[in-house]
Amino acid sequence: MVTGWFAGEGDDFRLLGTRCSNCASVFFPREDAHCRNPGCAGGDLEEVPLSRRGRVWSYTDSRYRPPSPYVTDPELPWEPYALIAVELESEALVVLGQAVPGVTVADLTVGMEVEVVPGVLHEDAATIWTTWQWRPTGVAA
């Protein structure tokens, strides 16, 4: 888990971004040092929960095992997964993330509604690393 990037569980699960008090730009991943908007003189950055739902802006699949630092067990066969770029309209930004297990590129279309849910990035005997994933609305967990 990356501290400060998301919080909550179930229907309360949200990605966390930051908003500039001067220009109202929203950032994810969060920005805590300075406003990244080149046209802004800067302002205070406050944490804001991002929209839970958005629309598929683009998607693809990961057909090969990524190199380090991606965590994967080289002893297990590689299983492709779908990556989705989701447009959050009210924040005016696009957030990339994995699709929930079982959702493939064949299940996705540009413009379809998806929602952010908690997911497992990797786990071993001692730790479960959590992340966010995108799930088409109306699909059971």
Side-chain angles (χ1 to χ4, degrees), residues 6-138:
F6 51 86
E9 297 178 16
D11 289 343
D12 293 327
F13 184 81
R14 302 290 283 269
L15 294 175
L16 301 174
T18 49
R19 176 181 290 125
C20 175
S21 63
N22 188 44
C23 69
S25 293
V26 177
F27 306 104
F28 183 84
R30 62 185 298 130
E31 175 59 62
D32 293 309
H34 58 84
C35 180
R36 294 188 293 223
N37 178 349
C40 178
D44 293 331
L45 296 163
E46 62 181 336
E47 183 176 276
V48 292
L50 303 182
S51 300
R52 288 196 71 240
R53 293 181 176 203
R55 301 241 171 234
V56 173
W57 184 76
S58 185
Y59 57 92
T60 190
D61 57 0
S62 177
R63 291 269 167 201
Y64 65 93
R65 187 183 309 270
S68 181
Y70 187 88
V71 179
T72 180
D73 185 344
E75 300 297 318
L76 296 176
W78 176 250
E79 293 192 30
Y81 57 86
L83 288 169
I84 309 174
V86 176
E87 182 177 24
L88 303 178
E89 186 176 350
S90 62
E91 289 87 354
L93 60 96
V94 175
V95 176
L96 185 67
Q98 291 183 5
V100 295
V103 171
T104 69
V105 294
D107 303 312
L108 301 170
T109 58
V110 170
M112 78 184 306
E113 187 180 60
V114 293
E115 60 189 342
V116 68
V117 297
V120 174
L121 181 62
H122 182 72
E123 62 183 300
D124 61 26
T127 308
I128 297 175
W129 287 271
T130 57
T131 189
W132 68 93
Q133 295 178 335
W134 296 106
R135 177 179 67 197
T137 56

